[in-house]
Amino acid sequence: MDDLRALIRDVPDFPAPGIVFKDITPLLGNATAFARSVGLMSEGLRPMEPTCIVGIESRGFIFGALIAVELGLGFVPVRKFGKLPWRTRTLTYDLEYGSDTLEVHEDAVTAGGRVVVVDDVLATGGTAAATVDLIRGAGALVVAVSVLVELEFLGGRSRLDVPVKAVIRYE
């Protein structure tokens, strides 16, 4: 994974002082690394028999849509409040400082469906956990969460009660 890790740059003090942001933009710009990342994020998902891939706004859309194509599945976007044009299921969740709301079209996942949730980075796990709850609220089973990068030191995995697949981990 060192070749992929080398394409992720640290941006100090973004979006706030003291935070070191993991910028995946250089990796996305390298066709070989990008394709390899999608392949690695897709590995091991087929035996879980997912029926669709759910991507979290916004960079989860990038990876989730390609994983869906790779596995021959449909793609479902989970968006921030007010961005979807039809009837939605919503969930408001707490963040470290404040709250946020996610939504999904009410007919996007079906009861009994088997879902893989995809995002670019797992940090504190708040958004991933909220997405899992939102999808479960529609009656679907979340079989895994797949991310490109996990910031292990922030403990996000501990907020999830489903298998987590991370390609690159920062301790």
Side-chain angles (χ1 to χ4, degrees):
M1 299 310 143
D2 287 342
D3 59 325
L4 299 179
R5 188 183 297 259
L7 292 169
I8 298 172
R9 71 177 150 222
D10 287 347
V11 180
D13 299 321
F14 183 83
I19 295 175
V20 178
F21 184 81
K22 298 295 186 191
D23 181 11
I24 65 166
T25 308
L27 184 144
L28 296 174
N30 180 306
T32 302
F34 188 18
R36 183 162 176 246
S37 297
V38 171
L40 290 167
M41 289 175 72
S42 301
E43 261 180 24
L45 298 181
R46 198 175 304 278
M48 296 177 180
E49 300 179 348
T51 56
C52 71
I53 301 296
V54 167
I56 301 172
E57 186 171 352
S58 68
R59 290 176 299 187
F61 293 176
I62 297 168
F63 291 100
L66 292 171
I67 291 169
V69 169
E70 175 98 6
L71 299 178
L73 301 172
F75 175 77
V76 174
V78 166
R79 301 216 55 194
K80 294 173 185 169
F81 183 75
K83 302 289 186 178
L84 291 173
W86 199 63
R87 291 190 304 265
T88 61
R89 173 178 297 280
T90 64
L91 184 120
T92 299
Y93 63 104
D94 291 327
L95 299 167
E96 191 172 346
Y97 301 104
S99 65
D100 206 350
T101 301
L102 295 175
E103 61 184 3
V104 65
H105 279 143
E106 65 181 25
D107 63 351
V109 296
T110 57
R114 298 174 60 83
V115 172
V116 173
V117 173
V118 174
D119 207 358
D120 63 327
V121 176
L122 176 62
T124 64
T127 303
T131 301
V132 168
D133 290 345
L134 180 64
I135 298 305
R136 285 179 176 159
L141 173 68
V142 177
V143 297
V145 171
S146 181
V147 297
L148 175 65
V149 173
E150 179 180 4
L151 305 178
E152 290 180 327
F153 57 91
L154 293 175
R157 184 181 290 254
S158 68
R159 296 187 67 179
L160 299 168
D161 61 356
V162 298
V164 175
K165 175 177 184 47
V167 174
I168 300 167
R169 293 186 174 129
Y170 291 92
E171 295 179 353

